[in-house]
Amino acid sequence: MPQIRIALAQVNATVGDLDGNASLIVDWTRRAAEARAQLVVLPEMVLTGYPVEDLALRESFAAASVQRLAGLAGRLDEAGCGEVACYVSYLDRDEVGPRDAVAVLHRGEVVARQFKHHLPNYGVFDERRYFKPGQSLDILRVHGLEVGVVICEDIWQDGGPIAALGRAGVDLVVAPNASPYERSKDDVRLPLVAGRAREARAPLAYVNMVGGQDELVFDGDSIVVGADGTLLSRAPQFVEHLLLLDLDLPGGAARAEGRIGGFEVRRRVLSAEPLPAYAPAYPATIAEPLSDEAEVWSALVTCLRDYVHKNGFRSVVLGLSGGIDSAVCAALAVDALGPDAVYAVSMPSVYSSAHSRSDAADLAQRTGLHYSVQPIETMVAAFVDQLGLTGLAEENVQARCRGVTLMGLSNQHGHLVLATGNKTELAVGYSTIYGDAVGGFAPIKDVPKTLVWELARWRNAEADKRGEIPPIPESSITKPPSAELRPGQLDTDSLPDYTLLDRVVDDYVEGDRGYHDLIASGHDPELVERVLRMIDKAEYKRRQYPPGTKITWKAFGRDRRLPITNAWREGT
Amino acid sequence: MPQIRIALAQVNATVGDLDGNASLIVDWTRRAAEARAQLVVLPEMVLTGYPVEDLALRESFAAASVQRLAGLAGRLDEAGCGEVACYVSYLDRDEVGPRDAVAVLHRGEVVARQFKHHLPNYGVFDERRYFKPGQSLDILRVHGLEVGVVICEDIWQDGGPIAALGRAGVDLVVAPNASPYERSKDDVRLPLVAGRAREARAPLAYVNMVGGQDELVFDGDSIVVGADGTLLSRAPQFVEHLLLLDLDLPGGAARAEGRIGGFEVRRRVLSAEPLPAYAPAYPATIAEPLSDEAEVWSALVTCLRDYVHKNGFRSVVLGLSGGIDSAVCAALAVDALGPDAVYAVSMPSVYSSAHSRSDAADLAQRTGLHYSVQPIETMVAAFVDQLGLTGLAEENVQARCRGVTLMGLSNQHGHLVLATGNKTELAVGYSTIYGDAVGGFAPIKDVPKTLVWELARWRNAEADKRGEIPPIPESSITKPPSAELRPGQLDTDSLPDYTLLDRVVDDYVEGDRGYHDLIASGHDPELVERVLRMIDKAEYKRRQYPPGTKITWKAFGRDRRLPITNAWREGT
């Protein structure tokens, strides 16, 4: 049986950094070559990063991508990786338009090319804005094996190129991906990939990007399945990784050409003959998927770290209220950047409780981050007295003085400000615009309040398991949440119980369910009416909120595009 | 020759306000019926407003749209308009998915239906996210005339349904539109519509929406052209209008059915026989298009007014610095809402010049808006002293104390805050986030600085012509621009000359031209490098900027989608 050693390079590319990404590709391909792999596959758009958004339309950028690809072929050869068939994804542009493409580099040349067929245009994706779809299936014979390529969405659509490859005949399918993390997506991914392998009647090697890009984070989780759908190898999540695997393939797939299933099937030969037999060195290795909490925590840590570093920051500053949201954000920041890069500020007002300060100080002690106290009384009084503010206007000024304080410290010391709001708050507008909403990044923007608590408990338990000090003070987890903007204020004065609230938010925002459907599924009508009004009215605040890691199926932002001016009210 | 009296109802619908829009449709159809029109056409998606964005995907909303349409047919009949063939555009949803549709209502029934074919997915449009394209051309015989329908983008694409209608044979084509205003678009619109009429070999009646919806404003400019492309009638821009026209049509178009040009051509008969001859009462009326400045000013006024009113506000507040940007915003607000709804605040700091206060007061005097002075010294000192801020951090605190002041007044009195930044500032990041950038709406967000000056001069000249007091103090127009955040500061300390700057911004942002292309077209290399760096670095600020009226081909916002985390630098 023909043998082949494949390498899936699950790497962290940076959008727009063509030179950096080219070096990354050389580096990982060299590692694959050193392990004597014959074929290496990198993630979708690894040369440009993903998603490049409107850069895809800029001719100068597309030209640079094509030019860097050609240069990369030579660099790989010079680096001694010329013999490896290296599958590099990049932005192409031909007379039809921009293309989401993969090229095979070998001995200093581009020896094959494949364009993406299915262009997702839903959720966070706008690919029909950017790319023209491919019409051909370009199969390359590598060491006697017929190797087909599909790109990301091509796997997710029924009746696509995979079925055509199955009918045409291939020995192996490789699939570069940039598939953003969502909770439980890994549970869907494996059965999907397994099903497509069966459809292709060949093993399928799926390699995914890792790392954060603005609101998206890629979890890796690269996998190889056999022709029967059996899981052969799986890479760990949220880390760069080279997944090496020796495959014994039957070879001798049927070799049809011409039009199959709407695609033009074309074949090329890179190396016709199978390799002489060699001893396998890389058997199957299957990384255990992370638990739900560990996965979410890793997603948040990875995306925050990459946002900070890829944007040239070395430190962050955040307000520490003693409450659960800022405590979890601080713990995430410490995990992402180390305590020395995290500056936390307690900003008590006249309404702040004693425990808000002591809990903040306790967290600082536990995590070792930089901690300071800046009371805001003088600032608040300056506004309230001069402008004669009362009620909500007075409450909001407190939050805004904290915002101005954090931004002042950011400007003075170069820290990135973190906004500490959660998804539930953002949904119902329970935040002060230009107040607690200020920041360059919002780590828990897509984390519902009830999950914030779960994550805090999970993170503390993990610390316990490892014999470390739990980062989050128990009292921050257990005390009733409060914005502390007026005496004795509690979140429950303005909001329903968070467990009930999160269920409605989830069904309305993620589920996009209408009023009657929500009632039919058992929610209290009065609660639904109240919550939906709050969510609809808060659209304008969400528009000006900083970016933050998407972890759910539908995050606020590109995933959910609603007009601000919108008279539609569910239930009317 | 068969006669027909048509009415184009150029109306201002509100997104999501199904009941309000239904009443609007009844109201304008009644006017058309009173003028004895036999056929009335309303703009694209008039029943739901346009664009509804992700509401198109919500089943409850689509169901409500379909249900309201059925109800509307009955209401029109009850209102005595049952005999008019009323072309109402709405959101449909069938087993294939959501549809951008138009229905013909007559005697209480839906008698015909047409789906949009071409779905724009560029610029501000995401229609392939929302709608499934139509496959058929549904031609209706009305008083013996074969009437075809196309929707908006169907007109803008070559080789589309218009050519097929021409081959199939029609006597008249009606086209509901929601085509957002852009500078000079009206110059393109007429030749385009004329060309399509020739292609259809029939007169074409083009009706466009009017009014503002978040960042988009629709200018109306509805037109009717003859089969030879001659302009027959044209409605005024930026006002609701009923364009009535008596047409004498040759009739007797060829009546092919079946598949033509990829479309299924289907015919129905509403009324087979031509009307008995009657005396025409509505000859051609051709409104003169507005001048470039008048058009831009009207766009800004209309969009601001609609944003304020459609979001339930009755008044606005803005900072008045004595500079040109805030002066133009104040003048726009006064034109949009009347002086009694406009609250302007001068917020001098220790670095404010004497003329900054006197020019602000002068504008208040000229326009009659509400004016007050709130010095920010005390507030600024509270932050600077406690936090030890210097340099840029100190400069920014001044802008932020103004932001907090405006938001405080907004919270206390219910005004909508206007952000007064222009497009050039937004491009190069010459603004303070959470400072002068605060606001619910930014009237001149898409107006380059040089155009701000032009508009000011034009508006003053218009006042002179009408014998009114020019709203903008001459000195606000002529003095060198300054942020006044440190002693003697001028914009030119940090920025190139605005004339040069605007040219580069225009070529890079609207033109999407790369570094080498910019140099080749004559820009100074050092200037290009400097400006491009500023523009690229400011992306994060633009994300958190309030919405504002789009007037150019490419506004910041949905028109230009770039990653924040983006290492690509032109010229490298």
Side-chain angles (χ1 to χ4, degrees):
Chain A
M1 293 225 288
Q3 287 176 287
I4 194 162
R5 182 170 296 163
I6 63 170
L8 276 55
Q10 172 176 301
V11 299
N12 187 345
T14 299
V15 162
D17 187 7
L18 297 175
D19 292 328
N21 295 336
S23 296
L24 188 77
I25 295 164
V26 172
D27 182 30
W28 286 82
T29 305
R30 192 194 287 120
R31 295 189 208 188
E34 283 164 6
R36 297 178 179 277
Q38 287 101 32
L39 188 154
V40 60
V41 194
L42 293 121
E44 183 181 13
M45 294 283 262
V46 65
L47 184 57
T48 56
Y50 183 90
V52 297
E53 306 186 41
D54 276 11
L55 283 178
L57 304 174
R58 198 182 297 168
E59 288 183 36
S60 58
F61 185 69
S65 168
V66 170
Q67 179 243 317
R68 290 306 196 293
L69 182 82
L72 185 60
R75 279 183 68 186
L76 286 169
D77 204 33
E78 285 160 26
C81 323
E83 290 305 315
V84 182
C86 182
Y87 284 71
V88 175
S89 238
Y90 69 108
L91 171 66
D92 202 338
R93 187 183 175 110
D94 61 15
E95 60 292 346
V96 180
R99 307 283 199 166
D100 185 329
V102 55
V104 188
L105 310 185
H106 184 258
R107 291 190 191 168
E109 304 284 334
V110 176
V111 296
R113 220 179 280 273
Q114 172 72 57
F115 298 146
K116 186 176 188 173
H117 300 98
H118 287 290
L119 303 172
N121 209 65
Y122 55 81
V124 298
F125 304 109
D126 288 310
E127 290 199 1
R128 297 183 87 158
R129 175 181 177 92
Y130 301 125
F131 304 118
K132 299 295 173 190
Q135 308 293 342
S136 65
L137 284 167
D138 292 89
I139 299 168
L140 187 68
R141 196 182 312 171
V142 183
H143 298 303
L145 295 165
E146 299 288 308
V147 182
V149 195
V150 293
I151 305 178
C152 205
E153 186 74 5
D154 291 340
I155 286 192
W156 292 83
Q157 298 297 327
D158 283 322
I162 294 260
L165 285 176
R167 286 166 56 198
V170 284
D171 297 309
L172 174 65
V173 179
V174 301
N177 293 265
S179 180
Y181 170 74
E182 284 164 16
R183 276 179 92 179
S184 312
K185 200 179 196 178
D186 54 338
D187 303 337
V188 182
R189 195 179 275 146
L190 178 57
L192 180 82
V193 170
R196 294 302 177 205
R198 285 190 291 265
E199 231 177 293
R201 300 173 204 171
L204 203 160
Y206 171 105
V207 59
N208 192 18
M209 190 81 90
V210 73
Q213 169 59 28
D214 289 349
E215 302 215 306
L216 302 183
V217 58
F218 302 94
D219 61 331
D221 190 31
S222 301
I223 44 191
V224 186
V225 296
D228 62 353
T230 315
L231 177 61
L232 299 179
S233 268
R234 187 166 201 167
Q237 290 172 276
F238 299 106
V239 287
E240 290 194 304
H241 186 80
L242 191 70
L243 191 68
L244 286 154
L245 182 67
D246 278 309
L247 287 171
D248 281 337
L249 297 174
R255 290 180 186 173
E257 293 193 49
R259 287 204 75 77
I260 297 175
F263 302 99
E264 180 67 27
V265 175
R266 302 186 295 210
R267 293 183 187 261
R268 280 200 194 190
V269 178
L270 181 65
S271 40
E273 293 310 311
L275 292 163
Y278 61 85
Y282 295 95
T285 51
I286 299 180
E288 195 60 41
L290 298 172
S291 73
D292 185 40
E293 293 91 345
E295 199 180 82
V296 171
W297 192 268
S298 302
L300 299 174
V301 164
T302 303
C303 203
L304 170 58
R305 182 195 294 128
D306 277 354
Y307 191 88
V308 171
H309 289 162
K310 290 180 178 180
N311 282 292
F313 289 92
R314 277 177 299 189
S315 55
V316 295
V317 63
L318 77 168
L320 216 51
S321 70
I324 187 66
D325 295 326
S326 59
V328 165
C329 285
L332 285 166
V334 168
D335 282 1
L337 309 165
D340 206 38
V342 183
Y343 292 76
V345 194
S346 162
M347 295 172 283
S349 76
V350 288
Y351 303 128
S352 296
S353 58
H355 60 75
S356 73
R357 278 177 76 158
S358 60
D359 289 340
D362 185 11
L363 183 141
Q365 189 79 39
R366 287 163 177 270
T367 57
L369 53 70
H370 301 274
Y371 179 67
S372 61
V373 180
Q374 293 289 357
I376 56 164
E377 282 179 48
T378 321
M379 298 123 167
V380 171
F383 288 98
V384 170
D385 294 349
Q386 184 172 322
L387 304 174
L389 304 179
T390 56
L392 183 72
E394 187 197 349
E395 291 184 30
N396 282 345
V397 157
Q398 296 168 61
R400 294 201 177 105
C401 284
R402 293 191 177 112
V404 175
T405 299
L406 291 174
M407 291 306 297
L409 296 172
S410 165
N411 286 153
Q412 192 73 33
H413 305 292
H415 314 307
L416 179 79
V417 177
L418 300 183
T420 60
N422 61 64
K423 186 176 197 173
T424 313
E425 242 176 52
L426 195 65
V428 297
Y430 196 66
S431 67
T432 302
I433 190 167
Y434 321 126
D436 51 304
V438 310
F441 197 76
I444 59 170
K445 180 182 181 181
D446 195 35
V447 183
K449 184 77 174 187
T450 47
L451 182 57
V452 175
W453 277 306
E454 274 176 53
L455 289 175
R457 288 197 195 92
W458 171 85
R459 180 63 186 80
N460 276 1
E462 284 297 296
D464 272 332
K465 274 192 215 164
R466 290 187 238 143
E468 294 165 4
I469 300 166
I472 298 160
E474 194 57 27
S475 134
S476 294
I477 303 177
T478 53
K479 68 180 159 189
S482 165
E484 297 196 334
L485 295 176
R486 59 172 188 264
Q489 185 181 29
L490 290 179
D491 287 12
T492 44
D493 300 345
S494 320
L495 298 179
D497 171 82
Y498 277 114
T499 308
L500 293 174
L501 177 55
D502 274 357
R503 280 187 208 136
V504 177
V505 170
D506 192 54
D507 281 350
Y508 184 54
V509 174
E510 290 212 56
D512 212 14
R513 297 168 79 169
Y515 177 82
H516 298 292
D517 198 8
L518 291 167
I519 302 306
S521 72
H523 295 291
D524 175 65
E526 204 184 319
L527 178 75
V528 166
E529 207 156 316
R530 185 172 157 215
V531 173
L532 267 49
R533 291 291 172 281
M534 286 194 283
I535 296 177
D536 291 347
K537 269 183 59 183
E539 185 57 33
Y540 80 99
K541 288 192 190 177
R542 288 190 285 271
R543 288 296 179 89
Q544 297 190 38
Y545 206 77
T549 311
K550 166 182 161 78
I551 61 156
T552 68
W553 187 74
K554 191 185 281 188
F556 291 118
R558 246 155 243 207
D559 254 352
R560 186 177 188 265
R561 307 179 188 179
L562 284 175
I564 299 177
T565 304
N566 174 10
W568 173 244
R569 295 293 170 263
E570 284 292 336
T572 56
Chain B
M1 294 223 291
Q3 289 175 286
I4 193 162
R5 183 170 297 161
I6 63 170
L8 276 55
Q10 173 176 300
V11 298
N12 187 345
T14 299
V15 162
D17 188 7
L18 297 175
D19 293 326
N21 295 335
S23 296
L24 188 77
I25 295 163
V26 172
D27 181 30
W28 286 82
T29 305
R30 192 192 289 119
R31 294 189 209 190
E34 282 164 7
R36 296 177 180 277
Q38 286 100 32
L39 188 154
V40 60
V41 195
L42 293 121
E44 184 181 14
M45 295 283 261
V46 65
L47 184 56
T48 56
Y50 183 91
V52 297
E53 306 186 45
D54 276 11
L55 283 178
L57 304 173
R58 198 181 298 168
E59 288 184 35
S60 58
F61 185 68
S65 168
V66 170
Q67 180 244 315
R68 291 304 198 292
L69 182 82
L72 185 60
R75 278 183 68 185
L76 287 169
D77 205 33
E78 286 158 27
C81 322
E83 289 305 314
V84 184
C86 181
Y87 285 70
V88 175
S89 238
Y90 69 108
L91 171 66
D92 202 339
R93 188 183 176 111
D94 60 14
E95 59 293 347
V96 179
R99 308 282 198 165
D100 185 330
V102 56
V104 188
L105 309 185
H106 185 258
R107 291 192 191 167
E109 303 286 331
V110 177
V111 295
R113 220 179 281 272
Q114 173 72 58
F115 298 146
K116 187 175 187 173
H117 300 98
H118 287 291
L119 303 173
N121 208 64
Y122 56 81
V124 297
F125 304 108
D126 288 312
E127 290 199 1
R128 296 182 87 158
R129 176 182 176 91
Y130 300 125
F131 305 119
K132 299 296 172 190
Q135 309 293 342
S136 64
L137 285 167
D138 293 89
I139 299 169
L140 187 67
R141 195 181 313 171
V142 184
H143 298 303
L145 295 165
E146 298 288 307
V147 182
V149 194
V150 294
I151 305 178
C152 205
E153 186 75 4
D154 291 339
I155 286 192
W156 293 82
Q157 298 297 325
D158 283 324
I162 294 262
L165 285 176
R167 286 167 57 198
V170 282
D171 298 308
L172 174 66
V173 179
V174 300
N177 292 265
S179 180
Y181 170 74
E182 283 164 17
R183 274 179 93 179
S184 311
K185 199 179 197 179
D186 53 339
D187 303 337
V188 182
R189 193 178 278 147
L190 178 57
L192 179 83
V193 170
R196 293 303 176 205
R198 286 189 291 266
E199 232 177 292
R201 301 174 202 171
L204 202 160
Y206 171 105
V207 59
N208 193 18
M209 190 81 88
V210 73
Q213 169 59 28
D214 288 350
E215 303 215 306
L216 302 182
V217 59
F218 302 93
D219 61 332
D221 189 31
S222 300
I223 44 191
V224 186
V225 297
D228 61 353
T230 316
L231 177 61
L232 299 180
S233 267
R234 188 166 201 166
Q237 291 172 276
F238 299 106
V239 287
E240 291 194 304
H241 187 81
L242 191 70
L243 191 67
L244 286 154
L245 182 67
D246 278 309
L247 287 171
D248 281 336
L249 297 173
R255 290 180 186 173
E257 292 194 49
R259 285 204 78 76
I260 297 175
F263 302 99
E264 180 68 26
V265 175
R266 301 187 295 208
R267 294 186 187 260
R268 280 203 195 189
V269 178
L270 181 65
S271 39
E273 293 311 311
L275 291 164
Y278 60 85
Y282 295 96
T285 50
I286 299 180
E288 197 60 40
L290 297 172
S291 73
D292 185 38
E293 293 93 343
E295 198 180 84
V296 172
W297 191 268
S298 302
L300 299 175
V301 164
T302 303
C303 203
L304 171 57
R305 181 195 296 129
D306 278 354
Y307 190 89
V308 171
H309 290 162
K310 290 180 178 179
N311 282 291
F313 288 93
R314 276 175 300 189
S315 55
V316 296
V317 63
L318 77 169
L320 216 52
S321 70
I324 186 66
D325 295 326
S326 59
V328 165
C329 286
L332 285 166
V334 169
D335 281 1
L337 309 165
D340 206 39
V342 183
Y343 293 77
V345 193
S346 164
M347 294 173 284
S349 77
V350 289
Y351 304 127
S352 296
S353 58
H355 60 75
S356 74
R357 278 177 74 158
S358 60
D359 290 341
D362 186 10
L363 183 140
Q365 190 79 41
R366 287 164 177 270
T367 57
L369 53 68
H370 300 275
Y371 179 67
S372 61
V373 181
Q374 293 290 356
I376 57 165
E377 283 178 46
T378 320
M379 297 124 168
V380 171
F383 288 98
V384 170
D385 295 349
Q386 184 173 322
L387 304 174
L389 304 179
T390 56
L392 183 71
E394 189 197 347
E395 291 184 27
N396 282 345
V397 157
Q398 296 167 61
R400 294 202 178 105
C401 284
R402 293 191 176 112
V404 175
T405 299
L406 291 174
M407 290 306 298
L409 296 172
S410 164
N411 286 155
Q412 192 73 35
H413 305 291
H415 314 308
L416 179 78
V417 176
L418 300 182
T420 60
N422 61 63
K423 187 177 195 173
T424 313
E425 242 175 53
L426 195 64
V428 297
Y430 197 66
S431 68
T432 302
I433 190 168
Y434 321 126
D436 51 304
V438 310
F441 196 76
I444 58 170
K445 179 181 181 181
D446 195 33
V447 183
K449 185 79 175 186
T450 47
L451 183 57
V452 175
W453 277 306
E454 274 176 54
L455 289 175
R457 287 197 197 92
W458 171 85
R459 181 63 186 80
N460 276 1
E462 284 297 298
D464 273 333
K465 274 192 216 166
R466 289 186 237 142
E468 294 166 3
I469 301 167
I472 299 160
E474 193 56 28
S475 137
S476 294
I477 303 178
T478 52
K479 68 180 160 191
S482 165
E484 297 197 331
L485 295 175
R486 58 172 188 264
Q489 184 182 29
L490 290 178
D491 287 11
T492 44
D493 301 345
S494 322
L495 298 179
D497 171 82
Y498 276 113
T499 308
L500 293 174
L501 178 55
D502 273 356
R503 281 187 206 136
V504 177
V505 170
D506 192 53
D507 280 351
Y508 184 53
V509 174
E510 289 213 56
D512 212 15
R513 296 167 78 168
Y515 177 82
H516 298 292
D517 198 9
L518 291 168
I519 303 306
S521 72
H523 295 291
D524 175 62
E526 205 185 316
L527 177 75
V528 166
E529 207 156 315
R530 186 172 156 216
V531 174
L532 266 50
R533 291 289 172 282
M534 287 195 283
I535 295 177
D536 290 348
K537 268 183 58 184
E539 185 57 33
Y540 79 100
K541 286 192 192 179
R542 288 191 284 270
R543 287 299 178 87
Q544 296 190 37
Y545 206 77
T549 312
K550 166 184 162 78
I551 61 156
T552 68
W553 187 72
K554 192 186 280 190
F556 291 119
R558 246 156 244 205
D559 253 350
R560 186 176 189 265
R561 307 179 188 180
L562 284 174
I564 299 177
T565 304
N566 174 11
W568 173 244
R569 295 293 169 261
E570 284 292 336
T572 56

